[in-house]
Amino acid sequence: MKIVLLDAITFGDTDLNGFNDLGEVVIYQKTVPEETQERIKDANVVVTNKVVITKEMMQNTPSLKLICIAATGMNNVDLEAAKELGIEVKNVAGYSTDSVIQHTFSMLLYLMGHARYYDEVVKDGTYSNSGVFTDVSKPFFEIKNKKWGIIGLGEIGRGVAKVADAFGAKVCYYSTSGANTNRDYLRVDLETLLNTCDIITIHAPLNDATRNLLDEKELRVCKDGAIVLNLGRGGIINEDAVAKLVDEKNIYFGLDVFEKEPLPKSSPLLRVRNKDHLYMTPHIAWTSVEAREKLIAKVIENIKESF
């Protein structure tokens, strides 16, 4: 059996030796679209995180029996074509839940506590020269008693709600599918959530119901000083609107995901003036060491179950 890994760089330093017990393994750190067909041409198993596998590629790879997506989302593989051609496709769910929950709070506390400012004010000598034992020039608030709105109360959303509860926040949620009726938390419509919540976190998939869900019109109604975090998918929140409102309104944004990744150099997000109100990380919420280890272990398990 020949196994081809197309974008191993996304796994970092995670041990990949477990694949060697299954057959011949070829590892590519990165694969651009023009290289994909040549690299998978005689593979029995393809492992991809974000590299796209098209119908044409599958048709030109008669040896291919299994595509393992090293992620939860499956939009990088033509699933209908795979089914038509008898190629099995498996993804991995639940491996990064704890990691994303943790990063949600990391982003929140960074913004809410003005971590960038306070770190720099000590390191650049301003604090040492102040003659005062403390600095209260950037007031911060407690999470306790703040109203926290969650967009998308799936497994990750519920985990965030549980930790928010522990901090003493008042949690409500908006169901993007309209089907979630969790009785532990108050369900509200989107307008109510945006109008009333101090903290808003997004943990939803990108689909027809969530694409551009938060545009300029929606974001303008957020409370003064609100913090909005997107750890779902890029495209749920309009990035042009974020770049505009950061400089026009007292609102904070934390973005770990973007409509196009990596973030283009031309993005207006890279040109905002009020940088203290915008915290961005390069799609890393899922990448704790433990999460990546779980991911690889499950991919290997998926291969074993198919052969």
Side-chain angles (χ1 to χ4, degrees):
M1 176 168 51
K2 183 175 181 179
I3 304 168
V4 177
L5 282 68
L6 292 174
D7 46 359
I9 194 170
T10 62
F11 309 135
D13 58 358
T14 308
D15 187 356
L16 303 178
N17 285 324
F19 288 104
N20 294 327
D21 298 330
L22 305 178
E24 178 190 356
V25 181
V26 180
I27 298 176
Y28 298 102
Q29 292 300 308
K30 297 179 184 178
T31 298
V32 298
E34 297 77 19
E35 298 171 329
T36 307
Q37 183 66 77
E38 176 64 24
R39 291 181 173 185
I40 70 171
K41 65 180 181 180
D42 56 355
N44 305 115
V45 179
V46 168
V47 179
T48 173
N49 187 333
K50 292 294 183 288
V51 176
V52 172
I53 307 296
T54 66
K55 179 177 182 178
E56 183 180 3
M57 292 174 185
M58 291 183 247
Q59 289 174 325
N60 292 330
T61 313
S63 59
L64 186 59
K65 303 300 180 186
L66 172 65
I67 299 172
C68 284
I69 302 174
T72 302
M74 303 176 75
N75 60 328
N76 57 322
V77 174
D78 188 331
L79 299 178
E80 289 187 11
K83 184 177 181 179
E84 177 186 325
L85 295 167
I87 298 171
E88 193 173 11
V89 182
K90 292 185 174 182
N91 67 337
V92 182
Y95 65 95
S96 64
T97 299
D98 293 331
S99 183
V100 177
I101 292 168
Q102 179 173 301
H103 195 63
T104 300
F105 283 86
S106 174
M107 297 193 86
L108 173 66
L109 295 171
Y110 180 93
L111 286 167
M112 181 175 270
H114 303 288
R116 176 177 175 174
Y117 168 79
Y118 283 117
D119 181 49
E120 290 181 353
V121 85
V122 175
K123 290 177 177 174
D124 69 11
T126 300
Y127 173 57
S128 299
N129 295 327
S130 68
V132 182
F133 84 97
T134 190
D135 181 341
V136 293
S137 57
K138 292 278 189 180
F140 65 90
F141 300 90
E142 297 176 2
I143 297 173
K144 186 175 182 179
N145 291 323
K146 295 297 180 293
K147 191 165 183 182
W148 188 313
I150 297 175
I151 297 175
L153 199 71
E155 185 178 4
I156 292 172
R158 291 193 302 273
V160 168
K162 185 176 180 180
V163 180
D165 263 343
F167 271 99
K170 300 173 182 178
V171 177
C172 65
Y173 75 98
Y174 168 70
S175 173
T176 58
S177 68
N180 195 320
T181 54
N182 189 296
R183 295 182 179 181
D184 294 328
Y185 305 102
L186 176 66
R187 178 175 166 177
V188 298
D189 58 60
L190 182 60
E191 184 178 359
T192 299
L193 186 148
L194 296 173
N195 278 327
T196 63
C197 288
D198 305 286
I199 302 163
I200 298 165
T201 59
I202 302 168
H203 307 287
L206 182 65
N207 52 40
D208 290 341
T210 61
R211 188 177 300 279
N212 218 36
L213 183 68
L214 301 187
D215 206 336
E216 183 176 347
K217 178 183 175 182
E218 288 76 25
L219 293 171
R220 279 201 180 276
V221 306
C222 289
K223 290 179 65 174
D224 186 64
I227 297 174
V228 182
L229 309 178
N230 187 10
L231 293 100
R233 283 291 182 267
I236 295 177
I237 188 168
N238 186 296
E239 293 170 8
D240 290 340
V242 170
K244 183 177 182 181
L245 292 176
V246 160
D247 289 332
E248 293 184 3
K249 181 178 171 66
N250 182 30
I251 186 169
Y252 296 80
F253 291 97
L255 306 177
D256 181 60
V257 288
F258 305 93
E259 188 167 6
K260 185 174 182 181
E261 296 172 342
L263 186 67
K265 293 179 181 179
S266 60
S267 171
L269 293 170
L270 299 177
R271 299 191 298 274
V272 301
R273 298 187 303 276
N274 199 7
K275 297 183 185 299
D276 286 347
H277 282 224
L278 177 62
Y279 178 37
M280 300 185 289
T281 53
H283 202 149
I284 61 168
W286 69 278
T287 65
S288 71
V289 170
E290 293 86 351
R292 286 183 281 122
E293 288 174 347
K294 290 178 192 174
L295 173 63
I296 295 306
K298 182 57 181 175
V299 171
I300 291 172
E301 183 182 331
N302 281 344
I303 296 172
K304 289 179 178 178
E305 288 174 352
S306 296
F307 289 90

